[in-house]
Amino acid sequence: MSTPTVNITAPTAVQSTRSKRQWVALAVLMLPVLLISIDNTVLNFALPAISEALQPTGTQLLWMIDIYPLMLAGLLVSMGSLGDRIGRRKLLMIGSAGFGIVSVAAAFAPSIEWLIAARALLGFFGAMLMPSTLSLLRSVFTDRDQRRLAVAIWASGFAAGSALGPIVGGMLLENFSWGSVFLLAVPLLVPLMILVPMLVPESRDPHPGKIDVPSILLSLVTMLPIVFGIKHIAESGFDVLGVAVILFGVVAGVLFVRRQYRLETPMLDPELFRRGAFSGAVLINLLSVVALVGGLFFVSQHLQLVLGLSPMNAGFVLVPGLVIMIIAGLAVVPIAKRVRPSRLIPAALLISAGGYAAIALSGGQISALGIAITFSALGLGIGAAETVSNELILTNVPADKAGAASAVSETAYELGAVLGTAILGTILTASYRAAVELPQGLSDVQQAAAGETLGGAVAVAGQLPADAAAALIESARLAFDSGVGLAAWIGTAMVLAAAVIGLTTLRKAR
C-alpha cells in the first residue's frame, strides 16, 4: 500500500513569492521617505547659498524653512483620512506627481517669495505622501514581527535620506546653483510612479463615511495660527497678536474635537488619544523631532559659516551620527521584543540628552569632531526611540484607521520640525541680532542683510575691504555662537521630557 504524498512545494513557493513581493514593496515605499528627508537636510545645507543669492531677511529665511513642514502639519490628518477613504495608493500617486512638478518650479525660483510659495505647495503634496507610506505598511505586513522590522526600516529611511542629502547635496552645491538640490526629487519619483501600481496593493477603509469639509478646514485653522503664534512670540516676545492667534487656534482645535465626537465616522477619532501607548508615542515623536531638527538648524550653519567647511565636508561631519541613527533603529527591533517600551525608550533618550548637554556645556565653541561625537549620541537615542514609538502607534489602532493614525504620527513629526526651527532657530536669530556689531560705512541694504543672519553677514563681507570684512565675520560668528549654548540647553530639556513621557505613559505597552 503506497504512502500518500503531500505537496508542500506549491504553498511554500507561493509564500516565498509573497514574502519577496512584500519586501520589494517596502523598498518602493521607502522612496518618498528618502525624498522628504533628503529635501529637509539638503535645504539646511543650502541656506548659505540661498541667503547669498536671494538676500532674504531673517524672517523670510525662517518662513522659507518653516512653510513646508507647516503645510504638512496642517494637512497631514486631512490627507491621512482622505487616503482611508479614496485609497492610500491613489493618494500616494497624486502626491508624487504634484511633488515632482513643484520641485522643478522651486529649482528655478527667481525670488525668495517664489521659493516660499513653492515650498508651501511642496508641503501640500508632501502631506499626501507620508501617511500613505506608513499606513500601507500595515496592509502589506500583517505579521507583527515582520511589521516591526518594516517600520524600523521605514523609520531608518529618514536617517538614510539625511545621510545621503548632505553628501549628494554638497556635491551639487559645489558644482551647481542652489536650485539643483530641489531636482533630486525627480530621480526618486519617476521609479515610484512606475513601480507602486505594480507592487503595492490598494487599501482603504471599508466603511469610510463621507469626506467632512468643515473638519478639514478646522484642522487647518487649528494648526496654522498656533504655529504662527509660536513663531511670532519666539521672535518678538509676548504681545497681543501672538497670544490672540494662538488662542484662536486653540478654540478651533476645541471645535474640531467636538465635531469629531458628533460625526458618525470622524475624520480623526479622539478616542485614539485615550490609549496611553498611542498618545505617549506621539508626544515622544514630537519632542524628539523638535530637538533633532532644531539641532540640525544651527549645527549645519556652524559647520559651514563658523568653522568654514564646504557643504560636502559639513555633510560628512554629520554622516557618522546619521549612520548610527539607522543602525540603532534596526538593532532595537530584537531588543524591543524583550524589553518594555517604558524602559527602552527612556534609556535610549538619555543617551541623546547627554549629547545635547555636551553641546550646551561648550557654549557653542565646539569643533567639527565634537559635533560629530555629540550628534552621534543624539542619533543613537532618537533612532532607537522612534522605531519603537512608530510601531506602537500603528499597533494600537484598528487596521481600517491606519491612515488617520499614521497621519497623527507624521503630524507630530512635521509639527516638531516647525517648532524645532521656530523655537531654537528664532532664539539663535534673536541672539544674533542683539550681539552682532556692524562696521561703519555699510549701506542700509548691507546693514539689514548683515544684521539679520550669519549668512547675510558672510555675503556682505565679500563686498568689503579685507580689514572690515574680517571684523564683520568675526563679530557675526561670535554673535551666532552666543545663542547656541542656550538653544542646546532647551534641546536637552525637550529630550529629557520625552524620556519622562515614555516612562509614565508606556507602562502597560508591550
Side-chain angles (χ1 to χ4, degrees), residues 159 162 216 240 336 353:
S162 299
I216 295 175
V240 175

Side-chain angles (χ1 to χ4, degrees), residues 245-257:
V245 293
I246 289 178
L247 290 176
F248 182 79
V250 170
V251 170
V254 171
L255 294 176
F256 173 82
V257 172

